[in-house]
Amino acid sequence: MAITVQHIRHPTSIIVINNKRILIDPMLSEVGQLSPVPFTRNYRRNPLTSLSVSLNIS
């Protein structure tokens, strides 16, 4: 069984098991497109960083 894990950015990852892709907790928005996390002291808009890979998912 072939397994690979690719970390995209917190909290997004891709797991590939036997050529099947599983997208974990996708947060694929551009930086700052989403509201801050409610009820926290962090007022920065999410996501905080750019994607580390392109979105060409097939």
Side-chain angles (χ1 to χ4, degrees), residues 35-55:
S35 299
V37 177
F39 308 111
T40 66
R41 293 182 186 189
N42 184 358
Y43 299 109
R44 294 174 64 192
R45 295 185 64 82
N46 288 293
L48 301 178
T49 61
S50 299
L51 287 172
S52 60
V53 297
S54 72
L55 289 179

Side-chain angles (χ1 to χ4, degrees), residues 3-57:
I3 298 174
T4 61
V5 177
Q6 180 180 6
H7 179 73
I8 306 299
R9 72 175 167 199
H10 180 75
T12 308
S13 296
I14 296 174
I15 299 174
V16 181
I17 302 173
N18 292 333
N19 295 319
K20 304 277 186 188
R21 289 184 181 191
I22 302 169
L23 182 59
I24 307 288
D25 200 4
M27 183 184 277
L28 303 176
S29 302
E30 294 294 325
V31 173
Q33 293 295 308
L34 304 174
S35 299
V37 177
F39 308 111
T40 66
R41 293 182 186 189
N42 184 358
Y43 299 109
R44 294 174 64 192
R45 295 185 64 82
N46 288 293
L48 301 178
T49 61
S50 299
L51 287 172
S52 60
V53 297
S54 72
L55 289 179
N56 295 331
I57 300 172

